Amino acid sequence: MATYSEISRNGLWHNNPGFVQLLGLCPLLAVSTTVINGLGLGLATLATLVASNTTVSLIRGWVRPEIRIPVFVMVIAAIVTAIELLMNAYWHQLFRVLGIFIPLIVTNCSIIGRAEAFASKNSVGKAALDGLAQGAGFALCLVLLGALREVLGKGSLLADAQLLFGAAAQNWEIVLVADYRGFLLAVLPPGAFLGLGLLIAGKNWIDRRQSEAAPALHQPASI
Amino acid sequence: MKETRQQALRSAALLAAFAVAGSALLALANSATHERIAQNERAETIRQLQQILPPGSHDNALLDKPRELSLPISFSRPGPDTIYIARRNGHPVAAILPVTAPNGYNGAIDLLLGISRDGEIIAARVTRHRETPGLGDGIDIERSDWITQFAGRSLQDPERWAVTKDGGHFDSLTGATITPRAIVKALHAALAYAATHQQEIFADGDV
């Protein structure tokens, strides 16, 4: 059984839903046009994952194997609808910007994947942490890809921060290139695919560097 | 045999129980949020209407007493449409019509059109569209001010309502002609309708 620290590190890095498992690509590619859009959907997905993992783990004693998938789907759909209503009420502008991708969180394979692979077989505490870690990992993907696409596509960072953080955040935008003409490819889905590929390559490069450095630590120092 | 039947019934009962629990959660969430959601939607409608008719131009609350008409489907969605009348000193001075251009590049484009009493366009704004980012989405005021070229226009000005590519007067967008063409056509149809249906729209004598 996984330890708490393993669960966290897996969700954030080694088994990251976006960079490693390649799940949830539909919202990942469509919504990551800016940092704020990516962060908004990432937080909504994180809340869904924590709530659904916790619920599935709580009811795991009562769910018979033959009805577990319909039950999981019902739980996830109810949670996502509740989150959608909350966003419509309290983050209305962001809700309008994200549009159809909020209810589409239901179709994100990583949510039902974690319910089936982890939450239905582990304690509530571990399941909740797994939901938090996987959700944070997915949000990390969305924010990184969003930052890449926003910088290349619009020349800014944190544009429209008030959608998520309220009126006080209106001047958080960092304009990196004044009067930027825009790079259309970065704004469209094919550019998102390319950007994701670059980020995955970057992660693999970091992993390889780390694994090359690690054995060297155990070698005796040569004189 | 009886055992599997019992198992099936138990599964069905369990599934039904989870369905009830899920519905209860949603009923709770709905009752906690529906008022705020309705408020948000009203505020959004007011914000959109005020883009067309800024507060100084009229003295009534635009959302009070909207009118319902069925506009022709050449420039509007099927079904009844809500028209907002702006008044000053009790007399109607302008109307805001919901216009839909059915043949955008990627589906229908929704607009709000503000017309003054004498048929002149005050402003038009796109409220919903699915045009290509970077190409057709220039019709959105947040992306470019292409849509502002319609302010002050009317049925006779210009005589020929078409994009420059079709020998007309209106700028199209670089790399996107279908989108501007659809909007020009829809706005023209709306103006033509307004010219012949002034009574229905402004309903003089009805204060």
Side-chain angles (χ1 to χ4, degrees), chain A residues 59 62-64 66-67 70-71 74-75 77-79 81-82 85-86 88-90 92-93 96 184 187-188, chain B residues 7 10-11 14-15 18-19 22 25-26 29-30 32-33 36-37 40-41 44 47-48 127 132-135:
Chain A
I59 64 176
W62 291 313
V63 179
R64 306 174 63 83
E66 56 269 19
I67 59 165
V71 169
M74 238 193 295
V75 166
I79 291 171
T81 308
L85 287 173
L86 283 172
N88 195 348
Y90 293 103
H92 189 76
Q93 294 290 349
R96 288 176 62 94
L184 192 60
V187 174
L188 294 173
Chain B
Q7 274 184 356
R10 207 178 298 160
S11 295
L14 219 51
L15 206 46
F18 280 116
L25 169 68
L26 288 183
N30 188 43
T33 57
R36 243 194 105 115
I37 290 177
N40 286 339
E41 287 176 352
E44 183 64 27
R47 190 188 67 86
Q48 286 179 346
T127 54
T132 318
L135 295 171

Side-chain angles (χ1 to χ4, degrees), chain A residues 4 53 56 60 97 103 108 112 121 133 150 162 188 192 209 218 220:
Chain A
Y4 283 101
N53 266 19
V56 167
R60 74 189 189 279
V97 169
N108 190 332
I112 195 163
K121 302 169 183 154
E150 188 177 350
Q162 72 278 6
L188 294 173
R209 282 280 298 252
H218 298 300

Side-chain angles (χ1 to χ4, degrees), chain A residues 75-190:
Chain A
V75 166
I76 295 170
I79 291 171
V80 170
T81 308
I83 287 179
E84 185 188 354
L85 287 173
L86 283 172
M87 285 189 77
N88 195 348
Y90 293 103
W91 288 277
H92 189 76
Q93 294 290 349
L94 184 63
F95 169 82
R96 288 176 62 94
V97 169
L98 293 178
I100 198 175
F101 290 100
I102 301 174
L104 277 184
I105 294 175
V106 175
T107 63
N108 190 332
C109 294
S110 58
I111 302 184
I112 195 163
R114 293 327 283 172
E116 166 76 351
F118 196 90
S120 59
K121 302 169 183 154
N122 282 278
S123 68
V124 177
K126 287 189 177 170
L129 181 64
D130 179 78
L132 186 66
Q134 293 274 328
F138 190 65
L140 184 69
C141 290
L142 280 166
V143 167
L144 285 179
L145 189 55
L148 182 67
R149 292 176 72 192
E150 188 177 350
V151 166
L152 290 178
K154 294 169 59 172
S156 68
L157 272 180
L158 290 176
D160 292 327
Q162 72 278 6
L163 294 182
L164 190 55
F165 297 109
Q170 214 145 21
N171 50 0
W172 286 8
E173 177 173 356
I174 308 165
V175 179
L176 292 166
V177 183
D179 290 328
Y180 189 57
R181 282 203 50 175
F183 180 34
L184 192 60
L185 181 62
V187 174
L188 294 173

Side-chain angles (χ1 to χ4, degrees), chain B residues 138-152:
Chain B
I139 57 177
D140 193 335
I141 190 75
E142 312 262 329
R143 293 274 170 266
S144 89
D145 50 17
W146 177 86
I147 194 80
T148 59
Q149 69 178 321
F150 295 102

Side-chain angles (χ1 to χ4, degrees), chain B residues 69-103:
Chain B
L69 279 182
S70 254
L71 299 172
I73 54 169
S74 62
F75 65 91
S76 110
R77 295 188 181 267
D81 300 291
T82 308
I83 300 190
Y84 301 94
I85 306 292
R87 298 171 197 281
R88 200 182 277 141
N89 297 327
H91 297 293
V93 292
I96 303 183
L97 276 62
V99 172
T100 303
N103 41 4

